[in-house]
């Protein structure tokens, strides 16, 4: 019989992805002893099965697409991508799914790592293997999310891909069906189509990227179709089987599609089903609602940071929350009772409500921050959308012949500030931080006239947007 050992810390973090790592970094910087518990790889979903591998797959795809828009380069890059080299490049960025480097970083900040499945076993208590970890000040749940598969008979026998398999596959399937219309579906359809798969994209809704302005999904779908993908909107999957290695998909329209693999990118669920939430009066498997300091509603010591709270399922936003939560934990541990928890305060994750930025790394890229026009109107703001064709900007024409894109800013007519900004077009991912600064800073349009964009860059679209607002 193994004897259990109880070890006391100031803070215990469940999950060693980027969010958990950042909570640990902040609490250690504040002088708090911190334990981190991880059942898989230190570095989490983002490092091994999401952000890093997906962008490593997509970067050669986008670079080739950009090169094909330029005279002098177009003919040199007409051949197919070297898929083996792209996959090897992806493997490099995941460190071949070895987390030694991430473990070294965690050790460098002075946090103690416990490998194994951690569960809450009571207030301020986490059990992992034969260790009982107690927290004087806080337990932070940073366990993230998992892919959700639809309830289709026999789906398990088909062995479908989720985002994990789509980002870690070691060979290119000849035919790939992608089910979904969100970011994962769009990016993976873009990547695998360019790597040589014949992609069929099945979208239940009216279009792609339905959390962005409608034109974003329209332009991305148009480009995917031009690249050779079969994009079908308003289409649901009725059944999936695998026979002699071939996947057979039947749609609600009665169409029969054969493929070598099928990827379901149809949603996420919180990884909270087996972490002992019932021992502290919470529902296993549930999302964890929090206040703006990321403390779980009704608790004095439990925090939920990152995707697990369902506020903004993005790595960069989870890391932002981790910085806020770490600061709040440290402040409360030092005895502070009057936290800076008002809007945009040091202990408030205000950006989760008003200024979440996101880039979809398709071709063209789609980038947005803040509220869409529909969201702003639904929130009760008196707003006006201002649209500009990105091809009207000199920098866009220099970026590549036939440049196609669109920009929109959503202007609050009461305060003449920006509630949201969306860009779609090649290279626009690098524009979104300027928009984020404008939205977060609530910069008046009158002041934005003095933020002069360099010529000739695509950033000159800011001047075109301001002119369109002034003249219409």
């Amino acid at each position: 019989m193994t004897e259990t050992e109880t070890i006391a810390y100031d803070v215990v973090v469940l999950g060693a992805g980027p969010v958990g790592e950042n909570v640990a970094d902040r609490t250690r910087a504040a002088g708090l002893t911190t334990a981190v518990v991880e059942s898989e790889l230190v570095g989490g979903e983002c490092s091994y099965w999401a952000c890093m591998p997906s962008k490593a797959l997509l970067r050669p795809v986008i670079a080739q697409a950009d090169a094909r828009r330029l005279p002098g380069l177009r003919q040199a890059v007409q051949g197919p991508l070297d898929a083996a080299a792209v996959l090897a490049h992806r493997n490099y960025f995941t460190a071949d799914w070895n987390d030694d480097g991430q473990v070294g970083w965690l050790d460098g900040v002075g946090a103690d790592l416990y490998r194994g499945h951690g569960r809450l076993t009571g207030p301020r208590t986490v059990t992992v293997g034969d260790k009982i970890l107690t927290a004087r000040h806080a337990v932070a749940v940073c366990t993230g999310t998992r892919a959700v598969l639809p309830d289709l008979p026999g789906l398990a026998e088909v062995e479908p891909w989720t985002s994990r398999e789509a980002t870690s596959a070691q060979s290119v399937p000849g035919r790939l069906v992608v089910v979904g219309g969100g970011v994962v579906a769009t990016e993976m359809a873009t990547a695998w189509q360019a790597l040589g798969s014949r992609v069929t994209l099945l979208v239940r809704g009216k279009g792609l990227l339905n959390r962005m302005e409608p034109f974003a999904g329209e332009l991305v779908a148009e480009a995917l179709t031009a690249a050779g993908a079969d994009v079908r909107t308003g289409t649901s999957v009725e059944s999936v089987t695998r026979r002699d290695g071939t996947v057979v998909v039947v749609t609600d329209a009665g169409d029969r599609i054969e493929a070598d693999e099928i990827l379901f990118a149809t949603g996420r669920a919180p990884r909270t089903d087996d972490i002992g939430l019932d021992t502290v009066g919470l529902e296993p498997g549930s999302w964890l609602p929090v206040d703006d300091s990321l403390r779980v509603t009704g608790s004095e010591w439990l925090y939920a940071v990152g995707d697990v709270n369902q506020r903004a399922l993005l790595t960069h936003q989870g890391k932002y929350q981790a910085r806020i939560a770490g600061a709040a934990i440290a402040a409360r541990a030092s005895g502070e009772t009057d936290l800076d928890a008002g809007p945009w305060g040091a202990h408030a994750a205000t950006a989760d409500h008003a200024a979440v930025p996101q880039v979809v790394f398709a071709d063209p890229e789609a980038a947005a921050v803040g509220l869409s026009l529909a969201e702003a109107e639904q929130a009760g703001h008196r707003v006006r959308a201002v649209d500009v064709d990105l091809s009207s900007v000199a920098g866009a024409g220099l970026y590549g012949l036939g440049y196609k894109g669109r920009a929109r800013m959503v202007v609050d007519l009461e305060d003449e500030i920006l509630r949201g900004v969306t860009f779609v077009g090649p290279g626009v991912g690098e524009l979104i931080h300027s928009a984020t600064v404008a939205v977060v800073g609530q910069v008046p349009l009158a002041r934005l006239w003095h933020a002069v964009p360099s010529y000739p860059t695509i950033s000159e679209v800011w001047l075109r947007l301001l002119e369109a607002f002034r003249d219409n």
Side-chain angles (χ1 to χ4, degrees):
M1 185 180 219
T2 304
E3 185 177 346
T4 59
E5 180 183 4
T6 300
I7 309 169
Y9 288 91
D10 292 322
V11 180
V12 177
V13 179
L14 267 178
V19 175
E21 288 177 325
N22 273 266
V23 172
D25 181 48
R26 292 297 83 212
T27 55
R28 285 295 302 128
L32 301 177
T33 59
T34 302
V36 180
V37 181
E38 178 54 59
S39 61
E40 293 187 291
L41 296 176
V42 174
E45 201 80 10
C46 174
S47 299
Y48 306 104
W49 301 287
C51 318
M52 295 306 292
S54 66
K55 287 13 171 216
L57 288 173
L58 285 158
R59 180 63 194 132
V61 173
I62 302 305
Q64 183 188 52
D66 284 342
R68 286 176 173 175
R69 297 181 180 102
L70 291 171
L73 269 179
R74 180 182 298 152
Q75 294 306 315
V77 293
Q78 282 306 310
L81 287 167
D82 182 339
V86 173
L87 295 179
H89 173 70
R90 183 273 321 275
N91 292 351
Y92 167 79
F93 271 93
T94 62
D96 286 311
W97 291 271
N98 181 296
D99 65 358
D100 287 351
Q102 300 264 11
V103 171
W105 179 89
L106 202 58
D107 184 61
V109 303
D112 291 343
L113 173 63
Y114 292 84
R115 290 193 182 271
H117 182 72
R119 299 183 78 257
L120 289 160
T121 48
R124 303 175 189 266
T125 305
V126 172
T127 298
V128 52
D130 59 356
K131 302 289 192 298
I132 298 173
L133 311 179
T134 60
R136 299 182 188 93
H137 299 294
V139 173
V141 176
C142 309
T143 49
T145 60
R146 56 177 173 79
V148 173
L149 290 171
D151 185 17
L152 289 171
L155 186 58
E157 288 71 36
V158 174
E159 297 183 332
W161 281 9
T162 66
S163 54
R164 285 198 167 195
E165 290 76 20
T167 55
S168 63
Q170 296 297 321
S171 60
V172 180
R175 301 162 297 175
L176 175 66
V177 171
V178 179
V179 183
V183 177
V184 172
T186 301
E187 290 188 345
M188 290 298 93
T190 299
W192 290 108
Q193 175 71 33
L195 288 169
S197 289
R198 192 161 71 248
V199 171
T200 302
L201 183 58
L202 304 179
V203 187
R204 185 170 58 183
K206 294 180 180 180
L208 303 180
L209 305 176
N210 63 9
R211 293 178 181 268
M212 289 186 168
E213 299 283 8
F215 64 81
E218 291 166 5
L219 287 171
V220 171
E222 182 181 312
L224 271 171
T225 300
D230 181 1
V231 180
R232 306 186 192 186
T233 58
T235 302
S236 296
V237 175
E238 290 289 302
S239 68
V240 183
T241 55
R242 189 185 288 270
R243 300 171 186 166
D244 300 323
T246 298
V247 175
V248 179
V249 181
V250 177
T251 71
D252 56 348
D255 296 328
R256 186 177 184 273
I257 306 166
E258 293 188 353
D260 299 289
E261 301 292 350
I262 182 168
L263 162 63
F264 282 95
T266 49
R268 310 288 297 182
R271 290 181 179 271
T272 60
D273 48 323
D274 189 25
I275 61 167
L277 290 184
D278 53 311
T279 68
V280 294
L282 296 171
E283 183 68 28
S286 64
W287 300 98
L288 297 175
V290 295
D291 63 20
D292 273 0
S293 72
L294 290 311
R295 190 164 59 175
V296 172
T297 305
S299 176
E300 295 296 316
W301 57 271
L302 186 63
Y303 292 72
V305 193
D307 288 4
V308 75
N309 61 39
Q310 206 182 13
R311 286 165 67 106
L313 277 64
L314 296 160
T315 295
H316 50 269
Q317 212 66 20
K319 291 164 70 174
Y320 160 73
Q321 291 178 14
R323 295 190 292 271
I324 299 293
I329 290 168
R332 288 174 175 135
S334 69
E336 289 186 41
T337 56
D338 187 19
L339 269 61
D340 184 10
W344 308 113
H347 306 122
T350 310
D352 286 351
H353 310 297
V356 174
Q358 181 173 22
V359 179
V360 181
F361 293 85
D363 176 35
E365 291 177 347
V369 63
L371 305 179
S372 67
L373 175 62
E375 288 170 337
E377 290 175 338
Q378 189 175 15
H381 300 297
R382 190 167 71 87
V383 294
R384 184 176 124 207
V386 180
D387 291 351
V388 166
D389 184 340
L390 267 170
S391 67
S392 67
V393 178
L398 288 168
Y399 192 93
L401 296 180
Y403 189 103
K404 190 171 185 179
R406 185 170 169 185
R408 167 174 287 181
M409 64 181 187
V410 178
V411 180
D412 187 310
L413 297 175
E414 300 288 343
D415 302 318
E416 290 207 352
I417 60 173
L418 301 182
R419 293 292 176 183
V421 180
T422 299
F423 301 117
V424 184
V428 299
E430 296 300 333
L431 295 181
I432 202 60
H433 191 62
S434 60
T436 303
V437 171
V439 173
V440 170
Q442 299 179 337
V443 182
L445 265 63
R447 180 58 63 86
L448 282 177
W449 278 101
H450 298 280
V452 182
S454 298
Y455 182 86
T457 66
I458 302 175
S459 294
E460 201 179 16
V461 69
W462 280 108
L463 180 56
R464 300 285 90 84
L465 286 165
L466 291 169
E467 290 171 339
F469 178 74
R470 178 197 63 193
D471 297 340
N472 294 287

